[in-house]
Amino acid sequence: MGSGRLYLAVAAGGFRRYATYRMATAAGVFTNTVFGVILVYTYLALWDERPHLGGYDQSQAVTYVWLGQCLYATLAIQGGGAEKDLMERIRTGEIAVDLYRPVDLQLWWLAGDMGRALFQMLGRGVIPFLFGALFFPMALPTGVTPWAGFVVALLLAAVVSFAIRYLAALSVFWLMDGMGVNQALMITGIFFSGMVLPLNAFPGPFGEIVRALPWAAQLQMPADVLMGETSPLTAFAFQAAWAVALLAAARMAQSAATRRVVVQGG
Amino acid sequence: MAERGALREGLRAYRLIAGMWVRSSMTYRTSFAVTVLGNLMVTGLDFVAILLMFSQVDTLGGWSLPEIALLYGLSATSFGIADLVLGSMDVLGGRMRDGSFDILLVRPAPVLAQVGADHFALRRLGRITQGALVLGWALLSADVDWTGAKVLLVPVMLVSGAAIFSALFVAGAAFQILAQDAAEVQNAFTYGGTTLLQYPPTVFGKDLVRGVTFMLPLAFVNWVPAAHVLGRPYPIGLPDWTAFASPLVAAACCALAGLAWRAGLRSYRSTGS
């Protein structure tokens, strides 16, 4: 089997695995829709007081909310994707088996997480988004080009999201327990991805810093590309730079871990 | 008489099981301290979001920051109490799937007490602490014309609110028995409910406010009684006495949730595994 086909099979496995939980997916759709409604009303009140906050008008702010609900599970913004399993395998020592496989560890987990992300978007993300588009005024482009740019930005966002979580999971080689790391992923993910408020609306120098961090590649960039608030090429470059930097850092951490760390015995 | 005996037995079972979980979490004290701190930070993010909004505006839906902080503190603290007491209800789905729920059914202790105390986590004190801090600040800085009734209303709101949220957890658990793997639906009402109540009712559409007043009476956790404390018009023009109706609403919610739980238990079919 060619290596391309191998990773495709791994991705398909990730997709199928999450597709099994139909009831949980339906429940997730409901939850994301409810939170979307609550958030839309608070944003509308906020944009009522401060029109054009962060360069968005009201319909753009609404679009941002529903994109956030669509991508929440897709990009595992508060964690809970492939990194959870990886942490568990490192903790129990099962990672030793993975290291013997004639595959690239990072690509293997990336492929699985991409399959997961695709399912979460189709199964869980699209319906709340359509609900939002149906009942609230949204700022959606009509041309093909912004949507095509959005797809590319989304793909890059998924890679950056994976890279952050993969790097965090590798720390378990040294920490032995992922609880604190998971909590840190949750806090940084929700806050710095712009789930609480668009990063554009973060004030002053703090806003500048937040918009330069890798988490900005996840929700803010795809949203701005879709709504034409940024040039797609600038967004792609920002996302790709973080993806490469984080994946390379994880490579280094990975080789350090496999050389130095003693794997837990059973 | 039999009812009272069952209640006492339930509380005893709850205390024993919860105590066991507390002892086990205290085995690693540093780890426990870190998770409490983490819990405090995760739940605090909601308030940071509100602070961020107020870095851009002076009022939201016509309400000032101390006023919204009062809503937030009441909602977060009463939800935190319910979450501490019954927050582990969402492990019910997992227990039904792996068959260990059947074990709870044959034990000589009320099932609700066993499920409620399951995985009892003292780290949830983080949420209560965080909510209480915001509430304390709000009580000091909000412009309130204090009277005896208003002072009394604050603890009444916390207790009634905790009872209303607890009823939601129990009703959610009953629903989980029917729907099996749907813990997240419960989250929409519990976590969604507390998030909703952290913002003033003027922010939301009339129909939504009507829904959480008459259908799912969350408005009695804080919106209605807090409107009395702050001297603001009541949501959807409710009469004056409704500010003091929270305990009644809470009692009704608990009774209905109890009925739902019994119905759920009766309909339970084991997986057989």
Side-chain angles (χ1 to χ4, degrees):
Chain A
M1 187 151 57
S3 68
R5 273 176 56 200
L6 169 75
Y7 294 115
L8 214 58
V10 174
F15 185 96
R16 266 204 305 277
R17 186 180 146 200
Y18 282 84
T20 321
Y21 305 112
R22 263 179 242 156
M23 217 31 206
T25 304
V29 166
F30 181 72
T31 308
N32 281 117
T33 311
V34 168
F35 271 94
V37 169
I38 296 173
L39 220 53
V40 158
Y41 278 118
T42 59
Y43 277 27
L44 285 176
L46 185 63
W47 261 264
D48 229 27
E49 306 272 349
R50 271 289 301 273
H52 303 292
L53 175 60
Y56 285 169
D57 61 24
Q58 290 215 342
S59 61
Q60 284 176 312
V62 171
T63 312
Y64 183 90
V65 168
W66 291 107
L67 266 182
Q69 294 306 315
C70 173
L71 300 183
Y72 190 56
T74 307
L75 300 178
I77 281 179
Q78 67 156 11
E83 85 285 359
K84 268 251 160 78
D85 299 329
L86 178 60
M87 283 180 195
E88 192 55 23
R89 287 187 79 79
I90 297 173
R91 200 180 64 77
T92 57
E94 285 163 328
I95 192 75
V97 183
D98 301 352
L99 290 171
Y100 273 111
R101 290 208 186 102
V103 291
D104 184 272
L105 196 67
Q106 197 179 32
L107 271 177
W108 169 279
W109 286 96
L110 174 66
D113 198 55
M114 287 290 148
R116 180 203 61 78
L118 185 64
F119 174 76
Q120 294 288 32
M121 191 170 81
L122 298 177
R124 193 171 156 166
V126 171
I127 298 174
F129 190 77
L130 290 178
F131 175 90
L134 211 59
F135 291 98
F136 296 92
M138 296 232 279
L140 295 175
T142 43
V144 179
T145 330
W147 283 102
F150 174 66
V151 171
V152 177
L154 209 54
L155 196 70
L156 286 165
V159 178
V160 173
S161 156
F162 165 79
I164 294 171
R165 289 177 286 118
Y166 187 77
L167 188 59
L170 289 177
S171 69
V172 176
F173 269 118
W174 289 272
L175 297 173
M176 286 298 144
D177 178 63
M179 204 149 167
V181 186
N182 281 329
Q183 238 163 15
L185 274 178
M186 194 173 185
I187 294 169
T188 50
I190 293 176
F191 196 70
F192 294 128
S193 297
M195 279 304 290
V196 292
L197 201 67
L199 301 180
N200 293 350
F202 278 46
F206 180 55
E208 304 276 331
I209 296 169
V210 165
R211 287 188 287 274
L213 296 176
W215 289 276
Q218 297 183 65
L219 173 55
Q220 192 65 54
M221 289 294 155
D224 281 349
V225 168
L226 183 68
M227 297 190 284
E229 285 292 300
T230 179
S231 107
L233 291 180
T234 321
F236 299 161
F238 176 80
Q239 292 177 302
W242 271 119
V244 170
L246 290 166
L247 289 174
R251 291 247 146 194
M252 272 151 58
Q254 193 177 308
S255 66
T258 45
R259 254 184 292 117
R260 283 196 37 225
V261 170
V262 178
V263 167
Q264 299 243 83
Chain B
M1 202 57 215
E3 280 291 308
R4 188 172 300 170
L7 183 67
R8 195 183 313 142
E9 199 191 329
L11 287 176
R12 200 180 103 85
Y14 186 96
R15 210 173 50 236
L16 286 173
I17 299 169
M20 182 197 77
W21 284 106
V22 169
R23 275 199 303 284
S24 95
S25 68
M26 285 302 169
T27 315
Y28 302 104
R29 273 169 201 279
T30 320
S31 166
F32 173 76
V34 171
T35 52
V36 172
L37 197 73
N39 198 264
L40 204 139
M41 282 177 74
V42 171
T43 58
L45 275 184
D46 288 342
F47 193 64
V48 174
I50 293 175
L51 287 178
L52 263 180
M53 290 181 176
F54 273 91
S55 72
Q56 308 280 7
V57 295
D58 295 324
T59 58
L60 194 65
W63 292 51
S64 69
L65 179 59
E67 289 176 313
I68 289 182
L70 182 71
L71 290 182
Y72 178 95
L74 288 166
S75 170
T77 312
S78 51
F79 179 74
I81 297 169
D83 186 46
L84 177 72
V85 178
L86 293 170
S88 301
M89 284 294 203
D90 53 2
V91 299
L92 194 65
R95 278 199 172 275
M96 285 189 298
R97 249 171 292 132
D98 67 17
S100 62
F101 186 59
D102 297 25
I103 300 170
L104 306 188
L105 291 176
V106 296
R107 276 194 200 139
V111 183
L112 187 59
Q114 294 185 59
V115 176
D118 199 7
H119 288 94
F120 181 85
L122 218 48
R123 66 163 183 279
R124 296 200 168 110
L125 284 173
R127 187 189 290 276
I128 301 178
T129 313
Q130 186 263 330
L133 284 174
V134 176
L135 179 61
W137 177 76
L139 289 174
L140 291 176
S141 46
D143 188 17
V144 178
D145 192 8
W146 287 105
T147 64
K150 288 180 183 178
V151 172
L152 192 69
L153 211 46
V154 173
V156 167
M157 275 192 267
L158 287 178
V159 175
S160 314
I164 292 173
F165 277 125
S166 298
L168 261 185
F169 275 112
V170 172
F175 177 73
Q176 275 192 64
I177 298 181
L178 291 178
Q180 308 278 323
D181 188 13
E184 272 218 59
V185 171
Q186 187 173 342
N187 292 349
F189 290 104
T190 52
Y191 290 92
T194 181
T195 308
L196 180 84
L197 295 178
Q198 289 165 3
Y199 294 92
T202 46
V203 161
F204 301 101
K206 275 258 159 31
D207 288 325
L208 187 61
V209 175
R210 257 186 223 115
V212 292
T213 307
F214 298 116
M215 282 166 63
L216 193 73
L218 288 172
F220 291 92
V221 171
N222 63 355
W223 280 355
V224 183
H228 176 79
V229 172
L230 294 170
R232 282 189 163 272
Y234 291 15
I236 51 172
L238 289 170
D240 280 350
W241 59 268
T242 50
F244 301 93
S246 297
L248 286 177
V249 172
C253 286
C254 289
L256 285 175
L259 288 178
W261 172 251
R262 280 188 192 187
L265 264 194
R266 265 201 302 278
S267 74
Y268 174 67
R269 299 263 180 283
S270 170
T271 55
S273 55

